[in-house]
Amino acid sequence: MKRIILKAVFAFTSYASACAQQHVPPSEIAQKMQWFSDAKLGIFIHWGIYSVNGVDESWSFHNKKIPYQDYMAQLKGFTAASYDPAAWASLIKESGARYAVITTKHHDGVALWDSKLSKLDAVNSTPAKRDVLTPFYAALRKEGIKAGAYFSLIDWSYPDYPGFLKDSSRYNAAKDTIRWQRFRTFYQEQLKEVMTRFNPDLWWFDGDWEHSAAEWEAAKVRTMLTSYNPGAIINGRLQGYGDYETPEQNFPVTRPHYNWWELCMTINSNWGYHPDDTNWKTPYEIITIFADVVSNGGNLLLDIGPDAAGHIPAEEVNVLKELGAWNKKHAPAIFNTIGGIPQGHFYGPTTLSKDSTTLYLFLPGKMTGNVMVKGLMNDIRRIQVVGTNVELSHKIVGKISWSSVPGLVYIDVPENVQDKYMTVLALQLDKPVKLYRGKGGFLTNND
């Protein structure tokens, strides 16, 4: 199968760098990455003591928005009193997501499992008095959803971690190697706890920017995780030892260069529970963002932030349910597909079946009337409105008999077939998609 690849420069505006997987040859991980490539949608869950007062996770004290002591006082309010992991997993399933990632430990150092290495966890330091991860991972797997673990490499609470507040640190790791080794042993032993207790399908690291690969012993960490579970996938925040890119919040305009990528994004403007943030994205906005992501060959990791009791905000529940209904209707165009045709051939997102013989067109907005595809050299056997039994006709305009250059394909889309969010058309082609990329006129060997 020949795929069309956009050669474009993509600058990440977040932590991820263009060379985040520089030590991991794609050919060595292609097989294990297949389920991730097919999955398209994951749900991110930021849950921790920061949900008590609805403040920024870890960053609120690091950036001195509130004193560290006030931030940590939230330990007393993390009850998980209404936490229903089965209901969470059911909602994630309903959204259409194939995987979920939960914060096992953020930069504040508060673990959500019963760690034998520290008392700073949900079991020993909060009124929840329980490991909240075990039942959630069990519920995910019961629903057939891949289980992911967010894990912060940095720990601003641990006394042997050099960093603390934005403008202060405890010591220089390069000058106090004994103390740094104590922390390195601690964080790697906590990783082993998560690894052996929950065996995540996916590791979502964060915080790697504060130290080099050598300082983190990133190669050693990767070997440890993949030796325990050869199928485990690692995100791109392990200083060059991850499997895929992870741009955050900011949407790529052109297709990222690396083979696998995932956009992590919030439903409002903040990670975690933030009742003061009412800048909610609408279902339509999320669906159009998601369509653009899969069109560019990526995944969307969409975040939710439960409160301290375990309630998921109603606005987030609504988005996941509406997204799920749309996904269910349009599943053939989304899941188990590959990225679509290059920009310029169609004014909207596209995807392709794995054999490239079905081209899916995502119609932006409430598009009716004629839509156009340029440069399609295939014969179209059938056009169907995805999720319905409706078939549409098409017209070829501008085809010149003496030239092999294809004409323009016009498809008339009546108003009565419109989806309330985004309509999708399936064009069944005579063979794998072939596109004309020339400058018009005669078809030459250079076109």
Side-chain angles (χ1 to χ4, degrees), residues 93-150:
K93 180 78 170 182
E94 187 178 352
S95 76
R98 273 41 175 177
Y99 63 105
V101 179
I102 190 170
T103 47
T104 65
K105 186 182 82 163
H106 208 271
H107 312 327
D108 57 16
V110 182
L112 295 188
W113 75 96
D114 184 9
S115 178
K116 304 307 179 185
L117 299 162
S118 170
K119 294 297 182 184
L120 191 56
D121 60 37
V123 178
N124 296 287
S125 298
T126 78
K129 294 189 181 301
R130 56 175 165 152
D131 160 20
V132 296
L133 296 181
T134 295
F136 180 62
Y137 283 134
L140 286 180
R141 286 172 168 141
K142 185 176 180 180
E143 294 284 5
I145 299 167
K146 296 284 189 181
Y150 170 107

Side-chain angles (χ1 to χ4, degrees), residues 83-93 136 139 143 312:
Y83 173 45
D84 187 345
W88 284 17
S90 178
L91 177 62
I92 291 168
K93 180 78 170 182
F136 180 62
E143 294 284 5
I312 299 172

Side-chain angles (χ1 to χ4, degrees), residues 211-222:
H211 297 280
S212 68
E215 288 173 322
W216 288 122
E217 295 185 328
K220 173 186 173 182
V221 167
R222 180 180 176 87

Side-chain angles (χ1 to χ4, degrees), residues 47-66:
W47 197 35
I49 66 169
Y50 40 87
S51 63
V52 174
N53 293 337
V55 297
D56 299 348
E57 70 295 340
S58 306
W59 294 100
S60 52
F61 76 80
H62 181 77
N63 292 331
K64 296 198 286 189
K65 289 184 178 181
I66 63 173

Side-chain angles (χ1 to χ4, degrees), residues 37 79 100 126 154 173 190-191 207 264 279 292 336 356 434 437:
S37 179
T79 65
T126 78
I154 61 182
Q190 278 205 321
L191 262 183
C264 57
N279 188 30
D292 271 336
N336 303 302
S356 295
K434 184 177 180 181
R437 301 284 286 165

Side-chain angles (χ1 to χ4, degrees), residues 331-351:
I334 303 163
F335 305 104
N336 303 302
T337 61
I338 59 176
I341 58 179
Q343 295 176 13
H345 289 277
F346 175 70
Y347 300 129
T350 63
T351 59

